[in-house]
Amino acid sequence: MHNSLPASRTLNLLLIILLFLLPLTLSAADAVIQAEGQLRGVVLDKTTREPIPSANIVLEGEGRGTAADLEGRFEIQHLVPGTYHLRASALGYGVQEISELLVLPGRERKVEFLLQPTAVVGEEVTVTASKVKSVSANLPTSARSLRYEEVRRSPGATEDVQRMIQSLPGVAGESDQNNEIVVRGGSPFENLIVLDGIEVENLNHFGYPAGTGGPISALNAEFLQEVTFASGGFSARYGDKLSSVLDLNLREGSREGIGGSADFNMAGVGGSLEGPWPGKRGSYLISYHKSYLDLVNDAVGLTAIPQYWNAQGKFTYDISNRHLLSLNTLYADDSINIEDESGYSRGAQKVDNANSKFLLGGRLRSLWGPGYTDLVVARTRNNFMVDVFRVDSTDAGERVVWPWVYQEYNETTWQTSLSWTGKARRADEWSIGAGIKPIRFERQQRVGPDTTIFNDGYLTYQGPPDGIPDTLVHIPQEIHRSTTAMKTSGFVQYVWRPSNLMTMVGGVRYDGFEISGQHTFAPRFSIQYLIHSDWRAGLALGRYYQAQPTIIYSDDPNGANESLAHSHADQFVASLAWFPVPSTHFTAEAYFKQYSDLLVSEEAVVRETTGDYTFNSERYFTQREKKAWGFELFAHRRLTGAWYGTLSYSYGHAKAEDPAYGEFDAAYDFRQVLTGVIGYRMNLSRRKGYKDLLEKPVIGGILKVLPINGDDLIFSSRYRYISGRPYTNQVWFGEGEVSPRPIYEGHWEHVGVNNRRYPAYLRWDLRVDNKHYFGGSALTFYMEAQNVLDRGNVAEYAYADDGEIDTVYQFRFFFVGGVKYEF
């Protein structure tokens, strides 16, 4: 793949030139009168989802507002395109603010307020002046909420919600090459993703089994209405995960008229379309995106061409005014074929990789007066395939390709859940739910014969018994396993609000898995207390269980892994938050997690404790423990004026212990993470001094070309520092040298575990977003310089078959850009 980087940079350069020339085409469009937009929404009781009549809606900073009608609905018309901030209040309810509502020309923006009843009737209390809903009963601590615009313009994230989440406290990433999130020393597969009530394992192209990440997101960020991420302390409503919850709430399509978008960027080309059903009783929102590198390969000359496409849709329909049906679907397909003489470890090989994922699910929300029910029915499927070939040559120089390793893994789930949330006494609420999830997983693996592998621990002497042991024989293997098993779950939860100053949440979670025979019960409790009008303290503690990754259960051919206990973690989180003004807040949190029943392989235990490095096994034990603790500081100013930004600092420590290696630093013991994001919004075209410069012949011509002349211009930057994470030291033993494993040929041996650290990670990104509003349309383009300092951040070390160590770097200096047209 040695040509990939220069070719991709060439393609980026062409895109950047296009983005610079684009402003020249807008001069005529700028003269078109902008169409006005509007905000349309509803104000609901958060507990019952019943409408709140006569609620007050204020457009912050604009000196205008409105009142909701008897059905809780409102609209604010004749709005100049731009970003707005709303505040809703009602007698007997708390106050809620929603920031960064983007209104486009000729379009409506839908808003949904969920007001929390106050414990004292008739008393209006601002529970929080921020849209960060940290007092949510389901996500009481360590939770932050985001909206689409925050994800879209985040520097370094390229409109990927998981990459944007990495800027939050307590969160790190594995590497630039994927968007995996690592939370408070946990493993990436410990994170739960929920999409409109549907649990999903992975929403990314080129994902992998037991992972939640990938290099490119298959989720269209334009569908996002609100994103809530909790890095710990989540309630009994969420289960079967140990570390975090990423709750994705998708928006509906427009019920007022047909609209859409078309976009082009480095990730691909595509568009979306939305509109109402007849009678405006529902709406649709659909999108399609495809990569285009395969279409321009002759021009850019890539040796490995990633091909991928995805389609997504959300359809809603009001069966009645008390029963709303929503349907979500997503399909993603990706493949890459690698033919490279250098291979992965300087060994010639050919690799074919193909993945696909499918999601189809519906949610029926029904209002029943004192509460509401959510019935969710869904099917998901993930398919992963990799086919590796050896590439050799004959004595005559002819190229020979023969199969080496083939792996395919399929996992299909059907999930059905039903939950109730309703009022109890006064402002209290209670909820209960249950679910079933049949899972079918299939695994195929074929390993061809090989006489050139020297790392399996077996010696086969070729020739007489006293011959030189210079050849190992790898016996062909073939595995085909399939299993269907049922997961069951349930929870009950009560929210007690004895006063407007205090909220306590208690609940119990049940999870069971048929294949392992495990049935677990996890109690959880949290308390939030408003110690001052601007200060809030919180505490959360509880137990969290998670079944092992399904691929693990099929590893051992004798079924020894099928009875593995579920891993669990006991969590303790304490928080303190300060809200000096509605747009700004500061938080400090401390956490402690005690893990038990984590996996360690029997092979590692036997080899490390007995010294028998010929022992091989695919069996696992749940005999590893881990402790993770630390503290986090976070400051957040929302885009309510010119300046906005976030600053987060996390210090953490994760220590593991098992029978194989004793005590050691855990794999994701990052220690220190510092992330700062700052942005500034302006409109130069409204400034007299800038207008005068545009009239000058030379400098005016230059300024007109630059991407800074839009109606909404934002400069932003992100700086990120991560102390080096651990890795295991490797030692090279040359041919004939005595080594722990009885192998004559030169080879690598690990010494200890996680006893070295990679160099610290440093990255600085710059971004500019430029929006033009004209007529009933909007044109947005962005340019971003990633890793401006071109720092060589180490992803890993590759240990080659000749004893050399190759350094694999993360993304170096890189340009990305994109254009989006909305109508």
Side-chain angles (χ1 to χ4, degrees):
M1 295 172 57
H2 54 280
N3 291 331
S4 299
L5 184 59
S8 61
R9 285 184 173 176
T10 300
L11 193 61
N12 271 312
L13 181 59
L14 294 175
L15 180 59
I16 296 302
I17 293 174
L18 172 65
L19 295 178
F20 267 99
L21 294 177
L22 185 61
L24 295 178
T25 68
L26 299 177
S27 56
D30 287 340
V32 179
I33 299 176
Q34 298 175 0
E36 295 176 329
Q38 65 178 339
L39 289 166
R40 186 188 302 269
V42 63
V43 185
L44 304 175
D45 184 298
K46 188 175 184 180
T47 303
T48 66
R49 294 304 198 269
E50 292 287 342
I52 301 175
S54 304
N56 296 313
I57 315 297
V58 176
L59 204 59
E60 296 284 1
E62 301 292 326
R64 57 184 293 199
T66 188
D69 61 19
L70 295 179
E71 295 182 347
R73 302 187 183 279
F74 68 90
E75 63 179 40
I76 302 176
Q77 299 179 339
H78 308 300
L79 295 175
V80 175
T83 304
Y84 293 90
H85 318 280
L86 285 181
R87 179 179 185 269
S89 61
L91 192 64
Y93 290 88
V95 176
Q96 184 186 4
E97 293 190 358
I98 297 181
S99 301
E100 303 200 40
L101 293 166
L102 179 63
V103 175
L104 296 176
R107 302 277 293 273
E108 69 163 20
R109 176 64 65 185
K110 295 194 67 174
V111 188
E112 183 181 74
F113 283 102
L114 299 175
L115 301 190
Q116 181 65 58
T118 57
V120 180
V121 177
E123 180 181 350
E124 184 179 289
V125 175
T126 302
V127 177
T128 174
S130 169
K131 74 173 185 178
V132 178
K133 302 174 182 177
S134 55
V135 293
S136 165
N138 297 317
L139 302 171
T141 60
S142 308
R144 280 94 189 176
S145 292
L146 311 165
R147 300 192 74 83
Y148 162 65
E149 270 298 299
E150 294 177 270
V151 176
R152 186 200 63 78
R153 67 165 188 266
S154 177
T158 58
E159 298 191 23
D160 184 331
V161 64
Q162 289 185 226
R163 292 185 187 273
M164 198 281 177
I165 291 296
Q166 294 176 6
S167 296
L168 298 179
V171 184
E174 278 195 318
S175 73
D176 292 344
Q177 279 78 351
N178 67 61
N179 62 7
E180 201 77 83
I181 56 177
V182 177
V183 180
R184 291 177 172 174
S187 297
F189 62 82
E190 297 175 5
N191 307 308
L192 175 64
I193 302 175
V194 181
L195 187 148
D196 270 4
I198 304 169
E199 296 181 0
V200 294
E201 289 296 324
N202 197 306
L203 289 170
N204 300 284
H205 288 293
F206 302 103
Y208 35 85
T212 58
I216 302 167
S217 177
L219 176 70
N220 186 350
E222 188 182 351
F223 279 59
L224 296 174
Q225 175 171 293
E226 185 173 42
V227 176
T228 304
F229 179 76
S231 54
F234 44 94
S235 77
R237 181 179 290 270
Y238 302 100
D240 202 26
K241 294 295 180 181
L242 298 178
S243 284
S244 71
V245 173
L246 177 58
D247 197 344
L248 305 172
N249 184 18
L250 305 188
R251 71 179 181 90
E252 294 184 12
S254 173
R255 296 196 180 196
E256 297 303 314
I258 295 176
S261 66
D263 58 85
F264 170 70
N265 54 49
M266 285 305 302
V269 60
S272 66
L273 187 68
E274 62 182 293
W277 297 123
K280 298 184 179 180
R281 295 188 61 177
S283 66
Y284 61 87
L285 173 60
I286 57 176
S287 73
Y288 175 84
H289 284 86
K290 185 188 184 306
S291 63
Y292 54 80
L293 292 180
D294 55 314
L295 304 177
V296 297
N297 184 51
D298 292 341
V300 298
L302 294 175
T303 58
I305 309 169
Q307 301 183 54
Y308 51 90
W309 65 272
N310 59 74
Q312 186 176 349
K314 180 171 181 176
F315 311 90
T316 59
Y317 184 74
D318 295 339
I319 299 175
S320 70
N321 62 352
R322 305 189 69 80
H323 301 280
L324 172 64
L325 178 65
S326 62
L327 180 71
N328 278 285
T329 183
L330 184 148
Y331 183 84
D333 187 274
D334 46 78
S335 63
I336 186 169
N337 303 309
I338 303 173
E339 294 195 47
D340 188 1
E341 292 301 318
S342 64
Y344 286 130
S345 185
R346 297 186 184 176
Q349 58 186 359
K350 174 179 180 294
V351 181
D352 295 338
N353 180 273
N355 304 318
S356 66
K357 51 183 52 66
F358 171 74
L359 177 152
L360 176 64
R363 178 172 64 184
L364 176 62
R365 173 162 290 177
S366 301
L367 308 184
W368 304 102
Y372 68 95
T373 57
D374 277 340
L375 173 63
V376 177
V377 180
R379 179 179 183 266
T380 65
R381 191 196 73 226
N382 288 279
N383 172 264
F384 309 92
M385 187 279 290
V386 60
D387 203 357
V388 183
F389 301 84
R390 281 287 193 183
V391 181
D392 291 324
S393 58
T394 65
D395 293 339
E398 297 178 349
R399 188 170 183 262
V400 179
V401 179
W402 51 276
W404 182 25
V405 177
Y406 174 86
Q407 291 182 322
E408 183 174 359
Y409 180 77
N410 297 279
E411 181 174 320
T412 302
T413 70
W414 297 262
Q415 53 185 285
T416 302
S417 64
L418 177 64
S419 64
W420 159 272
T421 301
K423 278 190 174 182
R425 59 182 296 275
R426 298 173 65 181
D428 296 354
E429 67 181 69
W430 68 285
S431 53
I432 187 171
I436 57 173
K437 183 191 287 187
I439 301 177
R440 179 172 179 80
F441 51 95
E442 300 175 274
R443 180 180 182 184
Q444 296 185 57
Q445 180 173 311
R446 295 192 301 271
V447 180
D450 191 1
T451 58
T452 59
I453 297 179
F454 303 98
N455 61 359
D456 64 354
Y458 288 103
L459 282 177
T460 300
Y461 291 85
Q462 307 297 311
D466 58 349
I468 296 176
D470 58 357
T471 302
L472 298 178
V473 175
H474 191 87
I475 301 173
Q477 297 180 8
E478 185 163 346
I479 301 172
H480 186 187
R481 300 171 192 156
S482 62
T483 305
T484 301
M486 178 79 74
K487 280 189 175 183
T488 52
S489 62
F491 75 94
V492 60
Q493 180 173 287
Y494 191 87
V495 182
W496 181 38
R497 296 185 177 91
S499 73
N500 290 323
L501 303 178
M502 180 183 295
T503 300
M504 288 186 282
V505 182
V508 177
R509 173 84 188 188
Y510 160 78
D511 285 287
F513 196 15
E514 180 183 15
I515 192 172
S516 64
Q518 296 289 307
H519 301 275
T520 63
F521 293 88
R524 298 171 195 175
F525 172 81
S526 68
I527 181 172
Q528 297 281 330
Y529 187 77
L530 197 65
I531 56 179
H532 187 270
S533 60
D534 298 334
W535 291 83
R536 184 179 56 250
L539 178 70
L541 61 155
R543 172 160 289 193
Y544 300 81
Y545 283 94
Q546 180 174 343
Q548 306 303 337
T550 51
I551 193 172
I552 296 295
Y553 293 108
S554 64
D555 266 352
D556 187 83
N558 301 315
N561 292 336
E562 293 182 359
S563 59
L564 289 170
H566 291 189
S567 300
H568 71 268
D570 294 321
Q571 290 194 27
F572 174 91
V573 182
S575 64
L576 182 65
W578 177 41
F579 301 88
V581 294
S583 62
T584 305
H585 73 274
F586 301 86
T587 61
E589 291 194 339
Y591 67 90
F592 176 82
K593 297 196 291 186
Q594 173 66 62
Y595 288 86
S596 298
D597 295 332
L598 301 178
L599 294 178
V600 58
S601 69
E602 180 184 39
E603 183 177 289
V605 172
V606 173
R607 288 186 174 191
E608 297 300 321
T609 57
T610 68
D612 180 9
Y613 285 86
T614 65
F615 181 82
N616 286 269
S617 173
E618 293 177 316
R619 183 181 181 183
Y620 284 87
F621 300 136
T622 52
Q623 297 180 1
R624 176 174 291 173
E625 296 186 348
K626 183 169 67 175
K627 294 180 181 179
W629 66 93
F631 67 90
E632 301 158 0
L633 304 175
F634 184 57
H636 188 185
R637 176 177 174 80
R638 296 192 177 275
L639 180 56
T640 57
W643 292 96
Y644 70 92
T646 63
L647 180 63
S648 68
Y649 172 77
S650 305
Y651 176 84
H653 193 29
K655 205 82 171 177
E657 184 175 4
D658 62 39
Y661 303 106
E663 188 176 78
F664 57 94
D665 289 338
Y668 298 101
D669 179 34
F670 283 103
R671 300 292 174 91
Q672 299 190 72
V673 180
L674 174 67
T675 306
V677 176
I678 188 169
Y680 183 73
R681 183 179 64 177
M682 66 178 72
N683 186 332
L684 291 175
S685 61
R686 296 178 182 176
R687 301 187 178 187
K688 184 179 183 305
Y690 184 77
K691 290 181 179 180
D692 294 339
L693 290 176
L694 291 177
E695 298 299 324
K696 297 185 177 181
V698 178
I699 191 171
I702 296 175
L703 291 176
K704 288 178 181 179
V705 175
L706 295 178
I708 57 175
N709 299 294
D711 299 292
D712 201 352
L713 175 66
I714 296 179
F715 294 100
S716 59
S717 175
R718 183 182 77 162
Y719 175 83
R720 188 162 176 81
Y721 167 86
I722 305 175
S723 58
R725 69 181 177 92
Y727 73 94
T728 297
N729 185 34
Q730 303 279 334
V731 176
W732 172 257
F733 289 89
E735 184 176 283
E737 292 185 19
V738 177
S739 64
R741 288 185 294 170
I743 298 176
Y744 182 81
E745 292 288 336
H747 63 283
W748 293 96
E749 297 273 4
H750 73 265
V751 179
V753 62
N754 291 346
N755 48 10
R756 298 287 179 87
R757 286 188 176 267
Y758 291 112
Y761 173 100
L762 286 170
R763 177 169 150 173
W764 180 30
D765 303 320
L766 296 174
R767 179 181 173 107
V768 57
D769 290 87
N770 199 10
K771 283 182 179 290
H772 291 261
Y773 303 124
F774 50 93
S777 305
L779 185 66
T780 304
F781 61 96
Y782 72 89
M783 292 188 300
E784 187 169 305
Q786 298 186 353
N787 196 358
V788 175
L789 302 179
D790 196 30
R791 179 179 170 86
N793 294 309
V794 177
E796 62 179 345
Y797 297 121
Y799 301 91
D801 293 337
D802 58 3
E804 295 294 321
I805 299 177
D806 295 332
T807 301
V808 180
Y809 291 101
Q810 303 189 48
F811 291 155
R812 302 297 293 261
F813 176 72
F814 199 64
F815 266 118
V816 295
V819 184
K820 183 176 183 179
Y821 173 71
E822 297 172 272
F823 60 91

